[in-house]
Amino acid sequence: FPDWQVLGRQLGAQYLVDGALEREADGVTVTIGLVEAANAHQIWRDRFAAKGNDIFVLQDEIARQIVNRIVTRLEDAGRRAASRKAPASLAANELFLQGVARLRGYSKDDNLAARAHFAAALAKDPSYALALAYAALTEVIIHGYASAPEEVLREAEEQAARAVTLDPEEPRCHRILALIRIYLGNFAAAEHAQQRSLELNPYDADTMAQAGFLLSVRGRPLEGLAWIDRAMRVNPAHPHWYHFDRATALYSLGAYREAALSLERLPVLTAWSLARLGACHAKGGDMASAGQCIDRMRRIEPCFDPLHYATLGINYEHESDIAHLCEGIALAMTAAK
């Protein structure tokens, strides 16, 4: 094995890639690893096989996985470093990283804390485009995603668009703008922003997954599922929301049991997630499980109306997709106690 620390210093590299290629009669097998030079820690290792001309596709897939893991590692390291500092000494970027970390906690308190961190980052640097985009996203999340009041969504869209103007080369600003436009029902504009995000960073798994979600709500769930599955391969340690988006595509395809399995992988099932899960079970023929989901939903939020939320909580481009979802939820509700 090489001396990774020495090699890292010689190359001026924080991360190194090693690998081996084995030729076979009809193709090749490639083993690739990603190593952190400073401590020789192996971050990731995988094995790929390709036949014939598939080697060129394999090349691209390996590059995507390596780049995604390096980016994820750098972001995680930044968040850990920021978390060790006193709030008064944090710079704008560190406040931003803390905000992202809290936003990934998903609870109401986490979202409110994230909002405060992004506001503090912008107070230190009002031109910080990424903090502005995430601040806009956080407001949308706090107010209920697609069911947020229109004035909240419009203000968030304006902020995200301003972030894109401030830093047009930052793909995450374009991705957030695309998501907000999905919630507003501006699907063509959302796809334009989404495509720009992919052009700027075709290796980002979050952008791939969101592309899949966008295609699914535009009535192209088979294409959407392919993008989401690709994102999961590129980033096996992906955020939990990938499962929700995958379930959206699967439900539209009529793969109800697979959709239910995706939703059951979520660490926390909200009232809305339980309503969606109940719909999956009901359409899949498991009425007992469907009824249990609705009962759990009512215990969590007794006043929650899933049928009303179905028309607001997720924006589909076509009325038939909304009707399909409402049909499953209504069927699940008939099985509840």
Side-chain angles (χ1 to χ4, degrees), residues 144-223:
Y145 297 89
S147 65
E150 185 173 353
E151 60 269 22
V152 171
L153 291 171
R154 293 290 179 196
E155 174 63 23
E157 181 187 27
E158 184 180 321
Q159 285 187 10
R162 191 158 69 250
V164 166
T165 301
L166 286 168
D167 193 352
E169 299 301 311
E170 172 49 70
R172 288 168 290 182
C173 291
H174 292 274
R175 171 161 55 83
I176 288 170
L177 177 59
L179 185 60
I180 294 168
R181 285 176 171 170
I182 292 171
Y183 294 152
L184 279 165
N186 296 338
F187 297 104
E191 190 150 347
H192 175 77
Q194 184 71 43
Q195 186 57 40
R196 185 59 182 146
S197 182
L198 277 170
E199 288 169 358
L200 288 166
N201 185 1
Y203 302 106
D204 182 61
D206 287 359
T207 304
M208 294 178 205
Q210 186 174 294
F213 175 70
L214 174 57
L215 288 166
S216 297
V217 298
R218 297 207 75 184
R220 294 147 64 190
L222 193 59
E223 293 175 65

Side-chain angles (χ1 to χ4, degrees), residues 16 26 30-31 36 39 66 69 78 83 169 201 205 219 269 279 281-282 287 298 307 328 332:
L16 299 165
D26 58 348
V30 183
T31 303
E36 191 168 8
N39 55 19
I66 290 171
R69 279 161 178 76
S83 69
E169 299 301 311
N201 185 1
L269 287 171
H281 284 310
M287 296 302 289
R298 287 171 174 164
L307 286 172

